[in-house]
Amino acid sequence: MKLSSGSTVTFFRNLRRRPRNTGAILPSGPILAKTMAKAIDPTIDGPILELGPGTGVFTKALIERGIAPERLILIEFNADFVRFLKKRFPNVTVIHASAFDLPKLWKERNLPAIAGIVSGLPLLNFPKELGRQLIADSLELLQPNGQYVQFTYSQRPSVPAPSGAVVNLLKRVWLNMPPASVWIYQKKAERQSVAA
């Protein structure tokens, strides 16, 4: 899975313009993308939500995992990325909004409970409490046994687990540049092993 030249140009143009919002110095690599996608169980009913999809590296991996594009809902704040994603993935729902408004967005659109969430958001660039609230809100919208999957370039989770939830390391992806850690957040009562 190689980034297209359009993905690369779009990524670096936005990194130059908005480094804090882009949150990475390089696009996520294919091993990280596959690791993130593998954590999502495609057999759980409902939409799969992606937060901060950027140029769609994780989106592509989710589709390659066998998740129908029509099940994917992407929330992206950056207008350039939104335009790019809509062209690249015409059968995927792309919402131009802030992921931090997730409960409001979900309620306004009357959407069903989420099967799984993949997040490429640079949570270390935001106040810790804002990140914790985002994860708490996300977990409330998940189906039973659904998982919130977050990567970070830190050796620790981007934010601690919110009250009533747990966070566990799935994998360290040393071959990503820079190396990344993938973390799984779940409600305590619904904690299960990661999907195979």
Side-chain angles (χ1 to χ4, degrees):
M1 183 171 73
K2 193 176 176 184
L3 275 177
S4 70
S5 60
S7 295
T8 306
V9 169
T10 302
F11 176 87
F12 283 110
R13 182 174 56 230
N14 281 277
L15 176 62
R16 191 187 72 225
R17 287 183 193 158
R18 300 175 194 91
R20 186 169 182 242
N21 290 347
T22 303
I25 57 169
L26 292 169
S28 298
I31 297 172
L32 176 58
K34 285 179 184 175
T35 302
M36 297 282 283
K38 190 175 179 184
I40 297 298
D41 184 348
T43 66
I44 299 175
D45 289 334
I48 305 294
L49 176 64
E50 187 177 353
L51 304 176
T55 59
V57 175
F58 299 152
T59 312
K60 186 169 188 254
L62 288 164
I63 293 169
E64 288 174 350
R65 174 143 170 77
I67 295 168
E70 295 78 14
R71 289 185 66 193
L72 293 172
I73 299 175
L74 283 50
I75 298 179
E76 175 57 58
F77 185 73
N78 181 309
D80 287 342
F81 288 154
V82 168
R83 283 188 291 274
F84 183 82
L85 290 163
K86 286 182 176 182
K87 286 181 189 171
R88 186 175 186 195
F89 304 105
N91 296 320
V92 169
T93 300
V94 182
I95 300 171
H96 184 197
S98 169
F100 297 104
D101 294 329
L102 181 59
K104 180 182 170 198
L105 293 168
W106 223 251
K107 187 176 180 182
E108 285 174 352
R109 288 167 173 77
N110 197 27
L111 294 168
I114 303 167
I117 300 172
V118 169
S119 172
L121 294 172
L123 291 183
L124 292 174
N125 291 358
F126 297 96
K128 200 167 277 189
E129 199 45 52
L130 193 60
R132 193 188 303 223
Q133 187 61 54
L134 170 73
I135 293 170
D137 291 342
S138 298
L139 293 176
E140 286 302 311
L141 295 171
L142 276 172
Q143 292 269 15
N145 303 322
Q147 300 185 125
Y148 178 108
V149 186
Q150 175 74 52
F151 89 92
T152 180
Y153 297 124
S154 171
Q155 295 297 303
R156 290 189 233 170
S158 301
V159 295
S163 178
V166 292
V167 58
N168 290 293
L169 177 66
L170 172 63
K171 187 174 184 179
R172 297 202 196 280
V173 185
W174 298 108
L175 296 178
N176 192 68
M177 192 54 63
S181 299
V182 178
W183 297 87
I184 304 291
Y185 291 83
Q186 288 180 291
K187 292 179 187 174
K188 280 183 183 172
E190 297 165 355
R191 184 176 170 199
Q192 288 192 346
S193 60
V194 175

mmCIF file of all heavy atoms in Angstrom, residues 132-169:
data_model
loop_
_atom_site.group_PDB
_atom_site.id
_atom_site.type_symbol
_atom_site.label_atom_id
_atom_site.label_comp_id
_atom_site.label_asym_id
_atom_site.label_seq_id
_atom_site.Cartn_x
_atom_site.Cartn_y
_atom_site.Cartn_z
ATOM 1 N N ARG A 132 -9.475 13.510 26.555
ATOM 2 C CA ARG A 132 -10.182 12.550 27.410
ATOM 3 C C ARG A 132 -11.691 12.633 27.197
ATOM 4 O O ARG A 132 -12.382 11.623 27.136
ATOM 5 C CB ARG A 132 -9.838 12.800 28.872
ATOM 6 C CG ARG A 132 -10.296 11.647 29.769
ATOM 7 C CD ARG A 132 -10.123 11.976 31.232
ATOM 8 N NE ARG A 132 -8.759 12.306 31.554
ATOM 9 C CZ ARG A 132 -8.118 11.879 32.628
ATOM 10 N NH1 ARG A 132 -8.717 11.074 33.473
ATOM 11 N NH2 ARG A 132 -6.886 12.248 32.882
ATOM 12 N N GLN A 133 -12.198 13.865 27.044
ATOM 13 C CA GLN A 133 -13.632 14.042 26.802
ATOM 14 C C GLN A 133 -14.038 13.458 25.450
ATOM 15 O O GLN A 133 -15.095 12.831 25.314
ATOM 16 C CB GLN A 133 -14.019 15.526 26.872
ATOM 17 C CG GLN A 133 -15.526 15.766 26.803
ATOM 18 C CD GLN A 133 -16.272 15.111 27.945
ATOM 19 O OE1 GLN A 133 -15.952 15.325 29.117
ATOM 20 N NE2 GLN A 133 -17.266 14.280 27.629
ATOM 21 N N LEU A 134 -13.192 13.656 24.447
ATOM 22 C CA LEU A 134 -13.466 13.085 23.120
ATOM 23 C C LEU A 134 -13.580 11.567 23.206
ATOM 24 O O LEU A 134 -14.508 10.966 22.644
ATOM 25 C CB LEU A 134 -12.359 13.458 22.136
ATOM 26 C CG LEU A 134 -12.415 12.714 20.794
ATOM 27 C CD1 LEU A 134 -13.561 13.227 19.951
ATOM 28 C CD2 LEU A 134 -11.108 12.825 20.047
ATOM 29 N N ILE A 135 -12.653 10.939 23.912
ATOM 30 C CA ILE A 135 -12.684 9.483 24.016
ATOM 31 C C ILE A 135 -13.896 9.035 24.828
ATOM 32 O O ILE A 135 -14.577 8.068 24.465
ATOM 33 C CB ILE A 135 -11.355 8.952 24.586
ATOM 34 C CG1 ILE A 135 -10.244 9.205 23.558
ATOM 35 C CG2 ILE A 135 -11.458 7.465 24.928
ATOM 36 C CD1 ILE A 135 -8.843 8.961 24.053
ATOM 37 N N ALA A 136 -14.221 9.740 25.911
ATOM 38 C CA ALA A 136 -15.411 9.404 26.698
ATOM 39 C C ALA A 136 -16.672 9.507 25.844
ATOM 40 O O ALA A 136 -17.533 8.617 25.859
ATOM 41 C CB ALA A 136 -15.515 10.321 27.919
ATOM 42 N N ASP A 137 -16.785 10.599 25.073
ATOM 43 C CA ASP A 137 -17.945 10.781 24.183
ATOM 44 C C ASP A 137 -18.002 9.676 23.135
ATOM 45 O O ASP A 137 -19.079 9.148 22.831
ATOM 46 C CB ASP A 137 -17.875 12.139 23.477
ATOM 47 C CG ASP A 137 -18.082 13.317 24.416
ATOM 48 O OD1 ASP A 137 -18.617 13.122 25.528
ATOM 49 O OD2 ASP A 137 -17.691 14.444 24.034
ATOM 50 N N SER A 138 -16.852 9.322 22.588
ATOM 51 C CA SER A 138 -16.779 8.277 21.565
ATOM 52 C C SER A 138 -17.229 6.933 22.115
ATOM 53 O O SER A 138 -17.988 6.198 21.471
ATOM 54 C CB SER A 138 -15.354 8.162 21.022
ATOM 55 O OG SER A 138 -14.947 9.365 20.404
ATOM 56 N N LEU A 139 -16.762 6.596 23.315
ATOM 57 C CA LEU A 139 -17.123 5.315 23.915
ATOM 58 C C LEU A 139 -18.620 5.216 24.176
ATOM 59 O O LEU A 139 -19.211 4.137 24.069
ATOM 60 C CB LEU A 139 -16.337 5.094 25.211
ATOM 61 C CG LEU A 139 -14.829 4.901 25.056
ATOM 62 C CD1 LEU A 139 -14.158 4.792 26.419
ATOM 63 C CD2 LEU A 139 -14.491 3.689 24.198
ATOM 64 N N GLU A 140 -19.248 6.347 24.485
ATOM 65 C CA GLU A 140 -20.702 6.354 24.702
ATOM 66 C C GLU A 140 -21.471 6.031 23.436
ATOM 67 O O GLU A 140 -22.598 5.528 23.492
ATOM 68 C CB GLU A 140 -21.154 7.714 25.254
ATOM 69 C CG GLU A 140 -20.802 7.943 26.699
ATOM 70 C CD GLU A 140 -21.398 6.882 27.617
ATOM 71 O OE1 GLU A 140 -22.611 6.599 27.513
ATOM 72 O OE2 GLU A 140 -20.640 6.315 28.430
ATOM 73 N N LEU A 141 -20.886 6.319 22.278
ATOM 74 C CA LEU A 141 -21.566 6.093 20.996
ATOM 75 C C LEU A 141 -21.275 4.717 20.398
ATOM 76 O O LEU A 141 -21.859 4.353 19.383
ATOM 77 C CB LEU A 141 -21.151 7.187 19.997
ATOM 78 C CG LEU A 141 -21.584 8.608 20.355
ATOM 79 C CD1 LEU A 141 -20.940 9.616 19.412
ATOM 80 C CD2 LEU A 141 -23.097 8.739 20.323
ATOM 81 N N LEU A 142 -20.375 3.958 21.026
ATOM 82 C CA LEU A 142 -19.978 2.644 20.495
ATOM 83 C C LEU A 142 -20.986 1.546 20.829
ATOM 84 O O LEU A 142 -21.608 1.555 21.900
ATOM 85 C CB LEU A 142 -18.624 2.232 21.073
ATOM 86 C CG LEU A 142 -17.377 2.756 20.384
ATOM 87 C CD1 LEU A 142 -16.149 2.393 21.212
ATOM 88 C CD2 LEU A 142 -17.239 2.220 18.974
ATOM 89 N N GLN A 143 -21.081 0.566 19.920
ATOM 90 C CA GLN A 143 -21.812 -0.676 20.169
ATOM 91 C C GLN A 143 -21.115 -1.423 21.310
ATOM 92 O O GLN A 143 -19.925 -1.223 21.544
ATOM 93 C CB GLN A 143 -21.737 -1.573 18.923
ATOM 94 C CG GLN A 143 -22.479 -1.075 17.737
ATOM 95 C CD GLN A 143 -23.905 -1.591 17.714
ATOM 96 O OE1 GLN A 143 -24.409 -2.088 18.711
ATOM 97 N NE2 GLN A 143 -24.555 -1.441 16.591
ATOM 98 N N PRO A 144 -21.833 -2.343 21.967
ATOM 99 C CA PRO A 144 -21.146 -3.208 22.934
ATOM 100 C C PRO A 144 -19.979 -3.928 22.246
ATOM 101 O O PRO A 144 -20.110 -4.386 21.113
ATOM 102 C CB PRO A 144 -22.240 -4.206 23.355
ATOM 103 C CG PRO A 144 -23.519 -3.454 23.134
ATOM 104 C CD PRO A 144 -23.271 -2.592 21.921
ATOM 105 N N ASN A 145 -18.856 -3.981 22.904
ATOM 106 C CA ASN A 145 -17.622 -4.622 22.408
ATOM 107 C C ASN A 145 -16.916 -3.834 21.305
ATOM 108 O O ASN A 145 -15.917 -4.301 20.764
ATOM 109 C CB ASN A 145 -17.882 -6.061 21.937
ATOM 110 C CG ASN A 145 -18.474 -6.911 23.035
ATOM 111 O OD1 ASN A 145 -18.097 -6.781 24.186
ATOM 112 N ND2 ASN A 145 -19.425 -7.748 22.683
ATOM 113 N N GLY A 146 -17.420 -2.662 20.961
ATOM 114 C CA GLY A 146 -16.707 -1.813 20.006
ATOM 115 C C GLY A 146 -15.451 -1.237 20.645
ATOM 116 O O GLY A 146 -15.344 -1.164 21.871
ATOM 117 N N GLN A 147 -14.511 -0.834 19.814
ATOM 118 C CA GLN A 147 -13.242 -0.317 20.313
ATOM 119 C C GLN A 147 -12.909 1.025 19.683
ATOM 120 O O GLN A 147 -13.235 1.273 18.526
ATOM 121 C CB GLN A 147 -12.104 -1.299 19.987
ATOM 122 C CG GLN A 147 -12.302 -2.656 20.597
ATOM 123 C CD GLN A 147 -11.118 -3.571 20.377
ATOM 124 O OE1 GLN A 147 -10.572 -4.097 21.322
ATOM 125 N NE2 GLN A 147 -10.729 -3.789 19.138
ATOM 126 N N TYR A 148 -12.250 1.854 20.462
ATOM 127 C CA TYR A 148 -11.702 3.125 19.982
ATOM 128 C C TYR A 148 -10.205 2.894 19.838
ATOM 129 O O TYR A 148 -9.510 2.594 20.817
ATOM 130 C CB TYR A 148 -11.997 4.234 20.992
ATOM 131 C CG TYR A 148 -11.435 5.586 20.626
ATOM 132 C CD1 TYR A 148 -12.285 6.610 20.204
ATOM 133 C CD2 TYR A 148 -10.074 5.861 20.713
ATOM 134 C CE1 TYR A 148 -11.779 7.865 19.883
ATOM 135 C CE2 TYR A 148 -9.561 7.103 20.386
ATOM 136 C CZ TYR A 148 -10.417 8.095 19.975
ATOM 137 O OH TYR A 148 -9.913 9.339 19.659
ATOM 138 N N VAL A 149 -9.692 3.008 18.615
ATOM 139 C CA VAL A 149 -8.284 2.723 18.318
ATOM 140 C C VAL A 149 -7.564 4.040 18.039
ATOM 141 O O VAL A 149 -7.962 4.792 17.148
ATOM 142 C CB VAL A 149 -8.165 1.781 17.092
ATOM 143 C CG1 VAL A 149 -6.716 1.375 16.873
ATOM 144 C CG2 VAL A 149 -9.062 0.566 17.246
ATOM 145 N N GLN A 150 -6.526 4.318 18.799
ATOM 146 C CA GLN A 150 -5.796 5.593 18.710
ATOM 147 C C GLN A 150 -4.304 5.299 18.594
ATOM 148 O O GLN A 150 -3.778 4.477 19.330
ATOM 149 C CB GLN A 150 -6.053 6.429 19.962
ATOM 150 C CG GLN A 150 -5.266 7.724 20.055
ATOM 151 C CD GLN A 150 -5.786 8.789 19.102
ATOM 152 O OE1 GLN A 150 -6.966 9.091 19.090
ATOM 153 N NE2 GLN A 150 -4.895 9.367 18.310
ATOM 154 N N PHE A 151 -3.637 5.988 17.675
ATOM 155 C CA PHE A 151 -2.174 5.842 17.648
ATOM 156 C C PHE A 151 -1.542 7.130 18.151
ATOM 157 O O PHE A 151 -2.139 8.197 18.157
ATOM 158 C CB PHE A 151 -1.683 5.475 16.243
ATOM 159 C CG PHE A 151 -1.379 6.646 15.352
ATOM 160 C CD1 PHE A 151 -0.095 7.176 15.294
ATOM 161 C CD2 PHE A 151 -2.362 7.216 14.569
ATOM 162 C CE1 PHE A 151 0.186 8.254 14.474
ATOM 163 C CE2 PHE A 151 -2.087 8.295 13.739
ATOM 164 C CZ PHE A 151 -0.811 8.822 13.697
ATOM 165 N N THR A 152 -0.319 6.993 18.601
ATOM 166 C CA THR A 152 0.447 8.132 19.067
ATOM 167 C C THR A 152 1.928 7.856 18.821
ATOM 168 O O THR A 152 2.336 6.708 18.685
ATOM 169 C CB THR A 152 0.193 8.402 20.570
ATOM 170 O OG1 THR A 152 0.967 9.528 20.982
ATOM 171 C CG2 THR A 152 0.567 7.215 21.434
ATOM 172 N N TYR A 153 2.709 8.916 18.763
ATOM 173 C CA TYR A 153 4.160 8.752 18.635
ATOM 174 C C TYR A 153 4.824 8.663 19.997
ATOM 175 O O TYR A 153 6.027 8.523 20.094
ATOM 176 C CB TYR A 153 4.754 9.911 17.826
ATOM 177 C CG TYR A 153 4.231 9.949 16.402
ATOM 178 C CD1 TYR A 153 3.611 11.079 15.903
ATOM 179 C CD2 TYR A 153 4.345 8.842 15.574
ATOM 180 C CE1 TYR A 153 3.117 11.114 14.610
ATOM 181 C CE2 TYR A 153 3.861 8.861 14.278
ATOM 182 C CZ TYR A 153 3.247 10.002 13.811
ATOM 183 O OH TYR A 153 2.759 10.014 12.531
ATOM 184 N N SER A 154 4.034 8.729 21.041
ATOM 185 C CA SER A 154 4.536 8.601 22.405
ATOM 186 C C SER A 154 4.558 7.123 22.806
ATOM 187 O O SER A 154 3.876 6.300 22.200
ATOM 188 C CB SER A 154 3.626 9.396 23.353
ATOM 189 O OG SER A 154 3.962 9.139 24.688
ATOM 190 N N GLN A 155 5.307 6.805 23.841
ATOM 191 C CA GLN A 155 5.333 5.442 24.367
ATOM 192 C C GLN A 155 4.160 5.187 25.313
ATOM 193 O O GLN A 155 3.934 4.060 25.729
ATOM 194 C CB GLN A 155 6.658 5.194 25.102
ATOM 195 C CG GLN A 155 7.876 5.240 24.192
ATOM 196 C CD GLN A 155 7.836 4.151 23.134
ATOM 197 O OE1 GLN A 155 7.742 2.986 23.449
ATOM 198 N NE2 GLN A 155 7.901 4.541 21.866
ATOM 199 N N ARG A 156 3.433 6.243 25.651
ATOM 200 C CA ARG A 156 2.266 6.132 26.522
ATOM 201 C C ARG A 156 1.017 6.527 25.744
ATOM 202 O O ARG A 156 1.124 7.164 24.703
ATOM 203 C CB ARG A 156 2.423 7.060 27.732
ATOM 204 C CG ARG A 156 3.490 6.597 28.668
ATOM 205 C CD ARG A 156 3.441 7.424 29.913
ATOM 206 N NE ARG A 156 4.766 7.980 30.166
ATOM 207 C CZ ARG A 156 5.019 8.890 31.070
ATOM 208 N NH1 ARG A 156 4.050 9.392 31.792
ATOM 209 N NH2 ARG A 156 6.238 9.319 31.255
ATOM 210 N N PRO A 157 -0.180 6.200 26.258
ATOM 211 C CA PRO A 157 -1.398 6.635 25.562
ATOM 212 C C PRO A 157 -1.429 8.159 25.438
ATOM 213 O O PRO A 157 -0.889 8.867 26.298
ATOM 214 C CB PRO A 157 -2.540 6.155 26.468
ATOM 215 C CG PRO A 157 -1.936 5.164 27.391
ATOM 216 C CD PRO A 157 -0.472 5.468 27.480
ATOM 217 N N SER A 158 -2.063 8.651 24.395
ATOM 218 C CA SER A 158 -2.185 10.101 24.188
ATOM 219 C C SER A 158 -2.817 10.769 25.395
ATOM 220 O O SER A 158 -2.392 11.845 25.818
ATOM 221 C CB SER A 158 -3.040 10.392 22.955
ATOM 222 O OG SER A 158 -2.476 9.821 21.810
ATOM 223 N N VAL A 159 -3.853 10.144 25.922
ATOM 224 C CA VAL A 159 -4.527 10.630 27.132
ATOM 225 C C VAL A 159 -4.871 9.423 27.992
ATOM 226 O O VAL A 159 -5.065 8.317 27.465
ATOM 227 C CB VAL A 159 -5.811 11.452 26.826
ATOM 228 C CG1 VAL A 159 -5.488 12.721 26.091
ATOM 229 C CG2 VAL A 159 -6.817 10.629 26.054
ATOM 230 N N PRO A 160 -4.976 9.603 29.317
ATOM 231 C CA PRO A 160 -5.398 8.487 30.174
ATOM 232 C C PRO A 160 -6.828 8.075 29.827
ATOM 233 O O PRO A 160 -7.586 8.846 29.257
ATOM 234 C CB PRO A 160 -5.325 9.071 31.591
ATOM 235 C CG PRO A 160 -4.513 10.320 31.471
ATOM 236 C CD PRO A 160 -4.672 10.811 30.071
ATOM 237 N N ALA A 161 -7.174 6.859 30.183
ATOM 238 C CA ALA A 161 -8.542 6.395 29.958
ATOM 239 C C ALA A 161 -9.512 7.232 30.780
ATOM 240 O O ALA A 161 -9.237 7.547 31.937
ATOM 241 C CB ALA A 161 -8.671 4.929 30.333
ATOM 242 N N PRO A 162 -10.647 7.620 30.193
ATOM 243 C CA PRO A 162 -11.645 8.337 30.973
ATOM 244 C C PRO A 162 -12.265 7.422 32.027
ATOM 245 O O PRO A 162 -12.090 6.201 31.978
ATOM 246 C CB PRO A 162 -12.683 8.773 29.926
ATOM 247 C CG PRO A 162 -12.435 7.946 28.729
ATOM 248 C CD PRO A 162 -11.037 7.421 28.805
ATOM 249 N N SER A 163 -12.991 7.999 32.946
ATOM 250 C CA SER A 163 -13.648 7.228 34.002
ATOM 251 C C SER A 163 -14.545 6.152 33.390
ATOM 252 O O SER A 163 -15.274 6.408 32.440
ATOM 253 C CB SER A 163 -14.485 8.190 34.861
ATOM 254 O OG SER A 163 -15.168 7.477 35.845
ATOM 255 N N GLY A 164 -14.469 4.941 33.919
ATOM 256 C CA GLY A 164 -15.296 3.846 33.428
ATOM 257 C C GLY A 164 -14.741 3.152 32.205
ATOM 258 O O GLY A 164 -15.413 2.319 31.597
ATOM 259 N N ALA A 165 -13.507 3.485 31.831
ATOM 260 C CA ALA A 165 -12.909 2.892 30.632
ATOM 261 C C ALA A 165 -11.498 2.403 30.945
ATOM 262 O O ALA A 165 -10.925 2.734 31.984
ATOM 263 C CB ALA A 165 -12.869 3.909 29.500
ATOM 264 N N VAL A 166 -10.969 1.603 30.039
ATOM 265 C CA VAL A 166 -9.592 1.126 30.150
ATOM 266 C C VAL A 166 -8.876 1.420 28.843
ATOM 267 O O VAL A 166 -9.510 1.558 27.795
ATOM 268 C CB VAL A 166 -9.520 -0.395 30.449
ATOM 269 C CG1 VAL A 166 -10.039 -0.696 31.831
ATOM 270 C CG2 VAL A 166 -10.259 -1.197 29.391
ATOM 271 N N VAL A 167 -7.562 1.518 28.918
ATOM 272 C CA VAL A 167 -6.745 1.667 27.708
ATOM 273 C C VAL A 167 -5.622 0.651 27.778
ATOM 274 O O VAL A 167 -5.002 0.455 28.830
ATOM 275 C CB VAL A 167 -6.202 3.111 27.550
ATOM 276 C CG1 VAL A 167 -5.356 3.544 28.745
ATOM 277 C CG2 VAL A 167 -5.426 3.255 26.241
ATOM 278 N N ASN A 168 -5.421 -0.055 26.669
ATOM 279 C CA ASN A 168 -4.384 -1.090 26.601
ATOM 280 C C ASN A 168 -3.577 -0.938 25.325
ATOM 281 O O ASN A 168 -4.124 -0.589 24.266
ATOM 282 C CB ASN A 168 -5.024 -2.484 26.639
ATOM 283 C CG ASN A 168 -5.609 -2.806 27.995
ATOM 284 O OD1 ASN A 168 -4.891 -2.953 28.973
ATOM 285 N ND2 ASN A 168 -6.933 -2.877 28.062
ATOM 286 N N LEU A 169 -2.295 -1.231 25.447
ATOM 287 C CA LEU A 169 -1.418 -1.204 24.283
ATOM 288 C C LEU A 169 -1.749 -2.380 23.374
ATOM 289 O O LEU A 169 -1.788 -3.532 23.826
ATOM 290 C CB LEU A 169 0.044 -1.291 24.729
ATOM 291 C CG LEU A 169 1.088 -1.350 23.615
ATOM 292 C CD1 LEU A 169 1.123 -0.041 22.819
ATOM 293 C CD2 LEU A 169 2.463 -1.657 24.199
#
